[in-house]
Every structure is written in structure tokens, then in C-alpha cells.
Amino acid sequence: MAATLSATFTDANTGAPTSDFLGTIAWGDGTTSTFTSAAVAGSNGNFTVSGSHLYAEEGTYTPVVTIKDAGGSTTTDTGTTTVADAPLTAAGTKLSNTEGAALTATVATFTDANPNAPLSDFTTTINWGDGTSSSGTVTENAGVFSVAGTHTYAVSGVYNANVAITDIGGSTAQASDTVDVVPSAPAITALVGKPLTNQTVELQGTGEVGDIVNLYADGNTTTIVGTGTVVAGGTFDIQTSATFGDGVHTFTATETDTVNLTSTASSPAFSVTVVHEPPVLTASNTVSYVQNGPVVQVDTALTVNDPDSGGLLAGATVQITSGFFTGDVLNADTTGTAISANYDAAHGTLTLTGTDTLADYQHVLANVSFSSTSPNPSNDGANPARTISWSVTDGNPTNAISATVTSTVGVQAVPTVVAGADVNFQGGPGKSVVLDLPIGAYDGTSLTGATVTIASGFQPGEVLSVDTTGTGITASYNGNGVLTLSGKDTPQDYQLVLSRVTMSGSPPKSGPVTIDWQVSDKNLTSKVATSTVEVTASLAPPPPSGQTQGQTPPNVGHTPFGDFSGMLTNVNAPTGEFGGLGFGAGGAIHVVHADVTASISDNGNIAFNLPLDPLEAALDGDVVSVTASLPDSKPLPIWLQFNAETGKFAGLLPDDILTGSIRSDGGITTSPDNSVPPQSITIEVIARDSRGNISIMDFTVDLSVKTLHKADKHGWNVLPGGLDPWGQIRPRRDLASNSGDGLHREFALPVTADHVLWHDGTAIDIDHARSLHATDLTPAGRAGLSDQFKTHGWRAASAERMALLESLRQVATSWR
């Protein structure tokens, strides 16, 4: 509920304006808001503070107002607020149902003036109006609550239901419903006697005692052709008031109770044939159909005769009346005849129409074939055979349809598995994916085994596993992409277990994986079914910070020498002189160059893409992690984000850019007093593979803002003159910040073992180094691996090289 607070205070300074005051209001429910002079009214030393707040729940709260004067004075006032429970508003509805059938419906809707009320606040009771009651279920959509319930009325009639709603805070509401329960439809069950042409028809059936039954004929639902009452015992016997000519007539019935509620029409319609000698049809053959095999003729010995049709028939019906299962197909070849065929796949009914000779009908019917498109034609053994029912008609007005005769088709099922899912799997610790949840496994008998195989794209570390709980199936995985299931069990249990099969692990590469599925029974093995997994490789997170590998040697001055770019190989050569770096046997450091273009908008948004392909190509695509940091190993500043999957850097330049421990002049920040906002940021990106190799790329982003109208954003580096771009990227072939423009400083702050340190290089080209030392602007700290390689010269004196390698060993060990 919303509450409004008003607090008064005085100031001895009667001339104080309202702009002197600001403060806070602690509302007593754990939330605090601030107010400015805009919430203060008054003058002459008398003032009022106003505020409003929306309380989530009812109750008594103690708000505290703290007021601060611009001169430093402070006062506090405490009050009490009582929040009442929000009211409920409910509405009922009108429902209808059939006696004996379960009614599941929304019986009421309501709203709560408290917009934050959870569902758990409400309890509901539904009085169904027939002497029974039950609890309702509350749901919410767009602020409107609904109450749903389920009930079965035993007797037809009109019922008044009531819904009571109670809020945990004490509010209540009531809603009333009207429920019309109509009678269930009567059933016409029998024809009495043999109806004659133009005579009435006598029908019998069942209904609810005391109700009125009305008969309708031939699809006419408005003209009543007979009426009767359901007597004791629940039966009726009605002689129609209308007469009927030769032929087939259909009848339906409705039932009306004592409160004038009427049922739906009976279904299916009851058929009556009025006197005519029908055709005679014979059929009794039994054949066998093998799943996935050729179609079979149902009854080639079938015969048709008709003594009074003039040798012509008008139609036939072939229907699967027992054992029908989705996918069953009846087919007729009517080539060279006047007969048309139509198959109703939903009901297993083949209908032939058209006036043609007895011979043509017999030929077409004798060649009716059966097949199945279902992967499970026996319904896992529940439907092992089909009963095929036959009838023909001569089209005469009376008694035109033959007696129904039947044939049998036995169905022999084979093991079958149906797969085809295409799922995505992101590798990594704790990650898994279900391979094919809707998979199907079928057979006409018990299955004895199954295999799930990574048929293509398998990578070491990928694991297939499954939970067989509740079944007689056992599972084993060979570690090379094959999961084997064994044990005699139902097709349903095998399907359940197969639907649970998961892939897990940390694959090093991305790409599609093909899964092969097969099931077997004691005699046969199914065809292979396949599904697909789109694998995204696991990218391991960077190593945790703060890990050290022992005492770091002290920092000393250095003298730069030479230049370096390209690749350092065999940095851990087991038989060479460069052992001990900790990158793994045959490891290599690849120094990568790529052109990068930054985009910095006028409002300070920075966005650019670092091409990851060169880093990945150097490692042959075997990349397990990609990390970005400052060259002194510190994390990127919080205003700059890096997406390791896409290589995108994005952020918003703050007014006081601080990128780490590196000053704009290349020095080191040792305290806030000598902190100078830098004019550029150097970034180091390192990719690692599963064998211990690494590829590295360093580059520098110019953050200088030389545009005059940006003086309010970076006043410390605004320069007069022309307008320059916001920023640019200086590609780095050898990873050294500002490579070629200056040299490293002679000192660095103490760092932990994940920092690479500088070592004395005075033995190497001292004169050249000293001539450039005054322009050294390169960041200290770890500062890029290639800087160290260049400074010392990879083929420099052994002592210098071994000191450098020992420092790099500590770094690599920490990275790993």
C-alpha cells in the first residue's frame, strides 16, 4: 500500500531558504530514500518535509526522517505508520458440463489492490453447490488472479457454486457461479424386429430414469420422429411416429431432464436398414505382414454376389475394426474400373464408390493391400494383428449393404529406433546435454540391448552416460564414444532410458557430432538412426589470481638490446638449454601481430574487435582459454569489458580513467598523490592450448582527447589546435608497449609470481641501450613477454637467458 509522510521542523535561522535542506527517510521496511530541497516547503524558520512510499505488505512501520542543514546542523524525527491489508475484488462466472464428466475450469477471478501480493498470500475454497467443497488453485496473469478447480457432478441440474477467497493479511472476497450440468446423451442400443418398407421403426436404448428421449432421423436434428420416457431400470422403447422407405436410415437421440436441460445427440448414429436383400460377401483369409517389408494382399480369395442388383454394385467399405494403429494403410488399385478409392487414415477406413460390375468390385477388393508406415506397427506387442472388416452395397433404396465379413492380418514387428534431434552442447565442467529427448524405441517383443555411438566428431574427454534407475537395463561406456545398454526389458523402458542419455565433458574443439542409435531383441538388430549435437568447445577460465610459486627475485635495472618478433619454439625443450618454463613438452610461444581499429564515439563509448583467428591459428585451433589483461598482469579496468568468444572490447570512458598501476609517463603509481591519468592503455591478450603452448598479442589504445569541446571530460589532456580522432590502435608485433618509441624503466614495484620481472642486461650492447634510456616510456611490471625477449635478446649470454627463463617459468606455472 502507498503511504505519504509529512514531517515538520524548525530552523532558528528564520531567513534560511528551503534550498538549505536535504536528508533521508528510512521507511521502516528496510528501504531508505533521499530527498532534496524540492521536498521541503516553508519559510520563516518553519518547514515541512513530504515523501511517499509503497509498502509491499501490511503492518506497522516506524519511519525515521533525518534532515541536514547546509550549515551542518542535523535533526532526526521518528513517526509511526500503519499499513492496512489491500482489499480484494472477486467475480464469478457461468459454467456448463455433462453429468458424470469431470469439470476442470476457472471458477472465479479476483484482483488485489496490493500489486506485489504473492500467490502464497491467498487461500480459496469452492463450494460446488451439491454439498461438496474443495480447495481452489490460484494463478496470476498481468495482475489478475484466477481460481481453478475440478469437480464431477453425478446428476444433471442447475447448481449454484460459491468461491471464498482469503488474503493472509485478512482481506476476503466472495464470488458466485452458476453451473448447468446437462444429462449425458442417451444410447440407442437395439432395433426391434425387421422393419418393412414405409413402416415405423422400433428402437430401444438406455438413459436416466424419468428423462424424456427424443429421436431424430437421417441427420435432421430439428424434426422429432419419436418420443419416449426412460423407465425404471434406465431403458426406453420408442416406436417412431414417422415411416421410412427402403434403404438405410440413421437415428440419433437426445435426453431432456426435469429442469429442461438437454443433452447432446447420441453418437455414433444408430443405423437401420429397411427391407431389401443385400449383396453377399465372403472373406476369411489370414495373412502376415512383416514391418518394413512389402505390402500384402489381405484376401485374394474374396468373393462378391448380389441376387437382385442387376450385377452392379455402388460401393464398398474396408475397415480395420480391431487392432488399428496410427500408420496403418489400406490401399486399392482401381485402374481400369469406374471405382474411386478414398482412405481415411485417422480411422483405418478404405471407402470405394462408383457404380461398376460385380467382377470389377471383386477384383479391386481381392487386391486390397495392407501396410504400415509406423515405426511401431505392433504397438510394442499390444496390437499384434488387424481385423479387416468388409462390406459392399448395391445402392438400392432398401437393404443395400451386405453383411460384414472379416479377414485377419498378423503384424510382425522388428526392433526400431527413431531419432533425429539436433541439440547444442556447451562443453565445460559440470555441463551436459540430453541427446534426444523425444527418441522412440519399439518392438513387438522385449528388447535385449542398445548402443549409442559418437559416430563422427568424437573428441577425447566426451562422455556418454545415462540413468537406468527403475529398469532392468545396465549401461557401460567404453571411453571411446560408445555407450552400451544391456538387459531384457520392455521397449517402453528402453525408450525411457535412451531419452535420458546425456553428453558431458570438456571438448577442446567446436563442431558437429553425429550420434548413431541402435536397439536389438533376441533375434534382430534395428537399422541405425542418427541425431546431431552441435558442440561448442570448452573455454577454460583464466588461472586464479593471488597464486605464487615461491619468492620472486629482486628487480634490477636492465639495458635493452635487439628486436624480436615471430615465434619462440621449444621453450621447454627437454634436451636443450631452455628447460624449466613449465609450458609442457614441445611448448612454444607465438608472438602474433594483427591490425586492430578502435572506435570511440563522442560520448566516450569505446568498441573494437580484436581478431582472434591469428591467435587461434598459431595454436592450430586448439584453444582452451583466451584472456585479456593489462601488461602488468592486472585485470582490465572495470569500464572496459572483453568477450573471449568474439574478441570484442567494449566500454565507456569514465571522467577519471585509471587503467591500473601504469602512469601516463610510463612510471609506476605508488600512492594517490602521484597518480596521473594515462593517455593510453596497453592490453595483452594471451591464448593457451591444451599442450602448454601460448600465443600472445599486445597493442596500445590511444585514449587522448584533443577535441576542445571534450574539455569537461578529460581536462588533463585537452590540447589546443585542430580536432584529432578520439583514439587509435597501434598494432604491436612484439607485444612491447610503444615498441620502438622508448625503452623499459629501470625499476618496477614488487610483484607476485604471476609478474615477469626485469633483469640486468648490461652485458648486451650497453652503449646502444644507454643512448635511448632517457626516452623509456614503457610500462613496468610484467609488461608483455615479448618485451623481455627483445630486451635481453633470445640468443644473448647464458646467464642473462637463464635468469629470464627462471622468471618466465614462474609466470607460466602460475598461468597453468
Side-chain angles (χ1 to χ4, degrees):
M1 292 293 290
T4 300
L5 177 146
S6 180
T8 61
F9 66 94
T10 61
D11 190 328
N13 178 9
T14 59
T18 58
S19 59
D20 278 2
F21 306 105
L22 52 79
T24 61
I25 303 174
W27 294 98
D29 60 352
T31 62
T32 300
S33 61
T34 60
F35 65 85
T36 64
S37 59
V40 180
S43 61
N44 298 323
N46 296 302
F47 301 94
T48 301
V49 176
S50 299
S52 61
H53 180 62
L54 184 65
Y55 286 94
E57 295 293 341
E58 68 280 350
T60 300
Y61 301 90
T62 304
V64 178
V65 181
T66 301
I67 305 163
K68 298 180 180 180
D69 189 303
S73 296
T74 301
T75 185
T76 300
D77 192 14
T78 302
T80 301
T81 299
T82 300
V83 180
D85 189 19
L88 305 177
T89 303
T93 186
K94 184 176 178 63
L95 303 170
S96 62
N97 202 48
T98 302
E99 65 179 1
L103 168 66
T104 298
T106 296
V107 295
T109 59
F110 68 95
T111 57
D112 190 334
N114 176 9
N116 300 314
L119 294 177
S120 58
D121 276 5
F122 307 106
T123 57
T124 60
T125 301
I126 307 170
N127 185 332
W128 295 100
D130 61 352
T132 63
S133 62
S134 63
S135 298
T137 300
V138 180
T139 58
E140 183 269 339
N141 181 28
V144 177
F145 298 89
S146 298
V147 180
T150 299
H151 185 62
T152 301
Y153 289 96
V155 180
S156 64
V158 178
Y159 296 87
N160 294 317
N162 179 267
V163 183
I165 307 161
T166 302
D167 190 318
I168 194 172
S171 295
T172 62
Q174 301 283 331
S176 297
D177 293 348
T178 299
V179 186
D180 291 341
V181 181
V182 302
S184 53
I188 303 173
T189 59
L191 168 68
V192 179
K194 185 175 183 178
L196 302 176
T197 302
N198 298 321
Q199 298 295 312
T200 60
V201 175
E202 185 179 357
L203 298 174
Q204 294 178 337
T206 59
E208 187 173 337
V209 176
D211 287 354
I212 303 299
V213 175
N214 293 318
L215 296 179
Y216 303 85
D218 299 325
N220 186 330
T221 59
T222 60
T223 302
I224 299 174
V225 298
T227 300
T229 302
V230 181
V231 299
T235 63
F236 63 83
D237 189 324
I238 302 174
Q239 189 86 30
T240 65
S241 57
T243 60
F244 299 89
D246 295 348
V248 177
H249 300 272
T250 59
F251 295 87
T252 59
T254 63
E255 185 173 315
T256 302
D257 65 10
T258 56
V259 293
N260 210 33
L261 293 175
T262 301
S263 73
T264 57
S266 59
S267 179
F270 189 85
S271 296
V272 174
T273 302
V274 176
V275 177
H276 178 74
E277 289 300 322
V280 177
L281 181 66
T282 62
S284 60
N285 198 27
T286 297
V287 296
S288 181
Y289 168 74
V290 178
Q291 180 182 354
N292 300 327
V295 301
V296 294
Q297 275 82 38
V298 177
D299 200 328
T300 57
L302 177 146
T303 63
V304 181
N305 290 288
D306 192 339
D308 60 359
S309 67
L312 297 174
L313 292 177
T317 300
V318 187
Q319 184 176 20
I320 303 171
T321 54
S322 176
F324 172 73
F325 195 67
T326 301
D328 288 355
V329 177
L330 295 175
N331 185 63
D333 182 4
T334 61
T335 303
T337 73
I339 302 170
S340 297
N342 179 66
Y343 180 61
D344 178 0
H347 300 93
T349 302
L350 174 67
T351 302
L352 305 180
T353 57
T355 300
D356 208 336
T357 65
L358 287 170
D360 278 352
Y361 262 95
Q362 179 169 312
H363 173 75
V364 170
L365 290 171
N367 286 280
V368 168
S369 63
F370 172 86
S371 61
S372 176
T373 60
S374 171
N376 184 25
S378 72
N379 193 17
D380 291 329
N383 298 33
R386 308 290 191 267
T387 298
I388 310 299
S389 296
W390 311 79
S391 65
V392 294
T393 179
D394 58 16
N396 287 317
T398 61
N399 207 15
I401 301 176
S402 71
T404 299
V405 293
T406 61
S407 303
T408 301
V409 177
V411 176
Q412 180 181 341
V414 299
T416 303
V417 61
V418 178
D422 186 353
V423 298
N424 296 316
F425 173 53
Q426 171 65 66
K431 300 293 183 65
S432 65
V433 66
V434 175
L435 296 182
D436 200 329
L437 185 61
I439 195 169
Y442 313 105
D443 203 348
T445 184
S446 296
L447 293 173
T448 58
T451 57
V452 186
T453 305
I454 302 177
S456 66
F458 172 73
Q459 301 182 66
E462 290 177 339
V463 176
L464 300 181
S465 59
V466 70
D467 177 10
T468 63
T469 303
T471 72
I473 303 169
T474 58
S476 63
Y477 181 63
N478 70 352
N480 292 313
V482 180
L483 176 68
T484 302
L485 305 180
S486 58
K488 184 178 180 181
D489 210 330
T490 64
Q492 293 91 335
D493 276 356
Y494 265 91
Q495 178 172 306
L496 173 64
V497 170
L498 289 173
S499 72
R500 297 173 176 171
V501 174
T502 63
M503 173 184 282
S504 59
S506 301
K509 296 182 180 180
S510 299
V513 170
T514 300
I515 306 296
D516 282 357
W517 310 77
Q518 280 187 292
V519 295
S520 304
D521 60 20
K522 64 180 180 180
N523 298 315
L524 299 169
T525 298
S526 72
K527 296 180 180 179
V528 173
T530 62
S531 61
T532 305
V533 182
E534 300 295 337
V535 173
T536 300
S538 169
L539 287 180
S545 61
Q547 295 184 357
T548 59
Q549 303 295 326
Q551 182 64 36
T552 302
N555 293 293
V556 295
H558 72 278
T559 303
F561 173 76
D563 190 25
F564 176 81
S565 64
M567 180 182 74
L568 301 180
T569 59
N570 298 321
V571 294
N572 194 43
T575 59
E577 60 181 326
F578 303 125
L581 285 179
F583 288 112
I589 301 175
H590 302 263
V591 181
V592 178
H593 164 74
D595 293 328
V596 185
T597 301
S599 173
I600 307 178
S601 62
D602 287 346
N603 61 5
N605 281 315
I606 180 170
F608 60 93
N609 286 318
L610 177 74
L612 297 179
D613 290 346
L615 290 167
E616 294 174 352
L619 302 177
D620 294 327
D622 179 16
V623 177
V624 297
S625 71
V626 178
T627 58
S629 65
L630 298 178
D632 62 348
S633 82
K634 290 184 179 295
L636 295 177
I638 61 174
W639 54 264
L640 183 61
Q641 302 296 317
F642 173 63
N643 187 322
E645 295 184 3
T646 65
K648 182 174 183 178
F649 288 83
L652 178 65
L653 296 176
D655 290 337
D656 51 344
I657 300 172
L658 292 176
T659 60
S661 62
I662 307 169
R663 292 208 317 247
S664 60
D665 62 354
I668 301 174
T669 299
T670 57
S671 70
D673 294 334
N674 67 354
S675 175
V676 178
Q679 299 186 35
S680 64
I681 177 173
T682 298
I683 299 172
E684 181 172 274
V685 179
I686 300 177
R688 302 172 176 82
D689 67 13
S690 60
R691 301 181 301 278
N693 305 312
I694 66 174
S695 58
I696 314 172
M697 184 188 299
D698 271 20
F699 56 89
T700 296
V701 181
D702 187 353
L703 303 177
S704 300
V705 183
K706 301 176 182 179
T707 307
L708 290 177
H709 70 278
K710 295 296 178 182
D712 59 335
K713 184 170 183 68
H714 298 295
W716 47 268
N717 63 0
V718 172
L719 299 178
L723 302 179
D724 290 339
W726 264 76
Q728 58 186 5
I729 293 291
R730 293 197 284 269
R732 302 291 312 283
R733 178 176 299 277
D734 63 352
L735 301 135
S737 295
N738 299 321
S739 177
D741 298 330
L743 305 176
H744 299 288
R745 293 180 57 85
E746 293 181 308
F747 65 94
L749 288 177
V751 291
T752 54
D754 63 339
H755 296 179
V756 177
L757 306 178
W758 299 118
H759 297 275
D760 191 359
T762 55
I764 308 170
D765 199 3
I766 295 175
D767 292 336
H768 173 71
R770 290 174 179 171
S771 67
L772 298 176
H773 196 275
T775 62
D776 182 6
L777 299 177
T778 304
R782 186 161 59 83
L785 293 177
S786 66
D787 276 355
Q788 304 210 25
F789 301 145
K790 187 190 76 165
T791 300
H792 294 273
W794 186 248
R795 304 189 181 280
S798 175
E800 284 299 311
R801 182 163 59 251
M802 295 311 294
L804 170 63
L805 291 176
E806 178 57 22
S807 176
L808 290 176
R809 183 196 65 76
Q810 297 183 41
V811 176
T813 301
S814 176
W815 285 342
R816 294 291 300 276

